[in-house]
């Protein structure tokens, strides 16, 4: 799994191919590789060709940042045309959103999902409750799960919050 920061920045794409090459040399290739990304980085031609050429499964876990939750401006954080490019590579994937129980967050998420769907990105949707601390996450988790299930979405905990509290991640 390639994660942390943004693994699909140009340097990350090159590094991923280098890691693959090193693992291949040691006869230790994985059967699949996941890229945890925010979905804003254009894939470079060498990386796209590499994905097409290797036999291993590629999975994109795309977590767009919603303005109502993160404060990131949509024009910077929501790039459905870029994620559609990932999808066209024949790769598997998922759309993963962090939301609370507020309706405006759900309205924005639904609008963003529709943008992806309109470009053919039909990956399943996963929803995780907001909260930097376990208490915050637990307080809204039931409402978030109920809303998600009613819409046919999957639900997951933000495991790092449960394991490490405020120590890492968002």
């Amino acid at each position: 799994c390639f994660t942390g920061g943004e693994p699909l920045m140009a340097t990350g794409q090159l590094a991923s191919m280098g890691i693959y090459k090193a693992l291949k040399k040691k006869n230790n290739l994985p059967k699949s590789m996941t890229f945890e990304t925010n979905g804003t980085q254009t894939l470079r031609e060498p990386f796209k060709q590499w994905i097409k050429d290797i036999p291993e499964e590629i999975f994109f876990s795309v977590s767009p940042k919603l303005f109502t939750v993160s404060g990131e401006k949509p024009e910077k954080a929501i790039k459905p045309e870029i994620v559609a490019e990932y999808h066209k590579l024949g790769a598997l994937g998922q759309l993963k959103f962090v939301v609370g129980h507020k309706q405006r967050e759900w309205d924005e998420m639904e609008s963003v999902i529709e943008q992806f769907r309109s470009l053919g990105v039909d990956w399943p949707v996963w929803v995780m409750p907001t909260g930097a601390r376990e208490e915050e996450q637990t307080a809204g988790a039931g409402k978030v799960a109920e809303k998600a299930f009613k819409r046919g979405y999957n639900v997951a905990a933000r495991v790092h919050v449960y394991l490490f509290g405020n120590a890492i991640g968002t």
Side-chain angles (χ1 to χ4, degrees):
C1 181
F2 294 93
T3 188
E6 176 49 58
L8 292 180
M9 292 175 67
T11 53
Q13 292 176 42
L14 289 173
S16 300
M17 293 185 297
I19 291 167
Y20 178 89
K21 186 177 178 181
L23 291 172
K24 186 174 183 177
K25 198 177 211 180
K26 293 190 177 281
N27 198 26
N28 191 23
L29 285 172
K31 293 195 184 320
S32 66
M33 289 173 274
T34 297
F35 290 89
E36 291 187 347
T37 175
N38 62 18
T40 64
Q41 300 299 308
T42 302
L43 301 180
R44 310 298 169 129
E45 196 50 49
F47 186 80
K48 290 193 287 190
Q49 190 60 50
W50 171 71
I51 287 175
K52 291 175 188 174
D53 291 344
I54 63 172
E56 289 75 23
E57 177 182 277
I58 299 294
F59 188 92
F60 289 101
S61 180
V62 180
S63 299
K65 305 299 179 248
L66 301 174
F67 178 76
T68 53
V69 177
S70 70
E72 289 196 40
K73 296 188 185 289
E75 57 273 10
K76 215 176 139 188
I78 308 299
K79 303 285 185 178
E81 66 285 351
I82 288 176
V83 177
E85 183 182 8
Y86 304 172
H87 187 270
K88 285 178 189 166
L89 287 169
L92 301 171
Q94 66 185 14
L95 298 172
K96 186 171 63 170
F97 296 91
V98 175
V99 292
H101 65 277
K102 295 176 185 161
Q103 190 58 45
R104 64 188 175 100
E105 296 171 11
W106 285 81
D107 291 344
E108 182 186 9
M109 182 182 73
E110 294 289 344
S111 171
V112 168
I113 291 168
E114 182 51 41
Q115 291 175 52
F116 287 107
R117 297 288 191 248
S118 73
L119 294 178
V121 179
D122 58 357
W123 293 332
V125 173
W126 284 83
V127 177
M128 296 181 296
T130 57
R133 294 186 326 223
E134 184 177 351
E135 305 81 44
E136 295 168 338
Q137 194 175 119
T138 303
K143 290 177 185 172
V144 168
E146 184 179 335
K147 286 181 178 236
F149 291 143
K150 282 182 179 176
R151 290 165 172 80
Y153 301 149
N154 303 289
V155 178
R158 297 176 66 215
V159 178
H160 63 275
V161 172
Y162 289 106
L163 294 177
F164 304 105
N166 280 339
I168 58 173
T170 57

